[in-house]
């Protein structure tokens, strides 16, 4: 039972480069989300999706794009990386949010460094 | 807008003593409240949640939390701390009808043998 799988686990980018963080879940969860974790700031929501074809912005969406073409996958794209995007990124999924108040299942994280 | 406050950056307790990790929240309407734990270099793991009903919620690893509506608090407690409880703890909230889980800044729990 893989749960939520994130790749890569580590990545170093130069300023201005682009990349995609991959997230896949095998629990048939409708809800998926991306967070970034920075020291002293907890987890901040970047984008989320309540189902295939539906995405919305979280607290800190600038500089990031997402898409949800399938239930299983929710990639996070950095179009032009900046040093301020150095962080640990977590993907999380839930059976539902709001109506069913499901708890989140987290991946192991992707540590990104932008030079 | 919903928010969560964890007023203590770190909590230190001796093994065998009771522990409390504090959390207060602000949200429109009745909240859904959660506690998660994070061990080093790992993702967050769910501990417990309050949706409705009994104000005292029991969760994994002997942890419990008490919902207090008048004080808008949801403190995490354990009667007897273990060294293995040392970790980073996050309180989180979803507003009713909402889709965003908002986290506090986290509290590091250190249990000394």
């Amino acid at each position: 039972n893989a749960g939520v799988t994130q790749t890569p686990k580590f990545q170093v980018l130069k300023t201005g480069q682009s990349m995609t963080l991959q997230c896949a879940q095998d629990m048939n969860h409708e809800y998926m989300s991306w967070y970034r974790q920075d020291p002293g700031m907890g987890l901040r929501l970047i984008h989320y999706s309540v189902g295939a074809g539906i995405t919305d912005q979280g607290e800190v969406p600038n500089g990031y794009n997402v898409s949800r073409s399938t239930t299983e996958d929710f990639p996070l794209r950095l179009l032009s990386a900046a040093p301020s995007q150095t962080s640990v990124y977590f993907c999380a999924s839930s059976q539902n949010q709001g109506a069913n108040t499901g708890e989140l299942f987290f991946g192991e994280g992707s540590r990104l460094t932008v030079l | 807008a919903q928010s969560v406050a964890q007023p203590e950056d770190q909590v230190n307790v001796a093994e065998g003593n009771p522990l409390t990790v504090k959390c207060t929240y602000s949200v429109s309407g009745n909240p859904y409240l959660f506690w998660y734990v994070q061990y080093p270099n790992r993702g967050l793991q769910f501990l417990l949640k309050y949706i409705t009903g009994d104000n005292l919620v029991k969760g994994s690893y002997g942890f419990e939390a008490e919902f207090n509506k008048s004080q808008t608090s949801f403190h995490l407690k354990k009667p007897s701390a273990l060294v293995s409880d040392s970790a980073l703890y996050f309180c989180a909230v979803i507003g009713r009808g909402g889709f965003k889980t908002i986290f506090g800044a986290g509290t590091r729990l250190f249990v000394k043998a």
Side-chain angles (χ1 to χ4, degrees):
Chain A
N1 188 0
V4 178
T5 303
Q6 291 183 233
T7 56
K9 294 190 184 305
F10 301 95
Q11 183 71 49
V12 178
L13 291 177
K14 295 180 179 179
T15 297
Q17 288 185 317
S18 62
M19 77 156 300
T20 299
L21 298 177
Q22 302 291 345
C23 176
Q25 53 91 10
D26 61 0
M27 297 173 283
N28 200 32
H29 284 172
E30 296 179 24
Y31 181 94
M32 296 186 74
S33 55
W34 276 101
Y35 287 87
R36 59 177 290 173
Q37 182 177 20
D38 302 291
M41 303 190 74
L43 278 77
R44 292 181 291 170
L45 181 64
I46 304 171
H47 285 286
Y48 66 97
S49 169
V50 298
I54 306 170
T55 64
D56 206 346
Q57 296 181 349
E59 302 169 277
V60 288
N62 292 341
Y64 307 96
N65 282 348
V66 292
S67 60
R68 185 92 180 271
S69 57
T70 67
T71 300
E72 295 78 19
D73 300 301
F74 190 46
L76 178 71
R77 297 182 182 85
L78 285 71
L79 297 180
S80 179
S84 61
Q85 294 179 304
T86 294
S87 187
V88 181
Y89 291 85
F90 288 98
C91 180
S93 71
S94 172
Q95 179 59 39
N96 205 337
Q97 292 258 288
N100 290 339
T101 68
E103 60 269 25
L104 291 169
F105 292 79
F106 282 83
E108 293 290 292
S110 298
R111 185 176 295 273
L112 175 66
T113 301
V114 182
L115 303 176
Chain B
Q2 56 197 54
S3 64
V4 176
Q6 294 181 241
E8 303 153 316
D9 291 336
Q10 182 165 314
V11 171
N12 299 309
V13 298
E15 188 174 34
N17 283 1
L19 69 87
T20 298
V21 182
K22 296 180 180 178
C23 171
T24 59
Y25 66 89
S26 174
V27 68
S28 298
N30 294 321
Y32 300 146
L33 293 158
F34 301 79
W35 277 101
Y36 292 84
V37 60
Q38 185 181 33
Y39 298 101
N41 300 314
R42 302 295 301 276
L44 279 69
Q45 299 175 32
F46 168 75
L47 275 180
L48 51 80
K49 66 181 177 183
Y50 171 82
I51 304 301
T52 188
D54 194 349
N55 289 343
L56 185 64
V57 178
K58 294 186 183 298
S60 305
Y61 311 121
F63 284 94
E64 59 189 27
E66 186 170 11
F67 172 62
N68 187 318
K69 187 174 183 178
S70 63
Q71 297 185 5
T72 62
S73 66
F74 189 56
H75 300 332
L76 181 70
K77 300 181 180 183
K78 187 174 182 181
S80 179
L82 299 173
V83 172
S84 58
D85 292 330
S86 298
L88 188 56
Y89 291 81
F90 290 96
C91 182
V93 65
I94 308 174
R96 295 267 166 161
F99 293 96
K100 302 177 183 180
T101 299
I102 302 302
F103 286 83
T107 298
R108 187 165 301 279
L109 175 66
F110 180 71
V111 181
K112 184 177 181 181

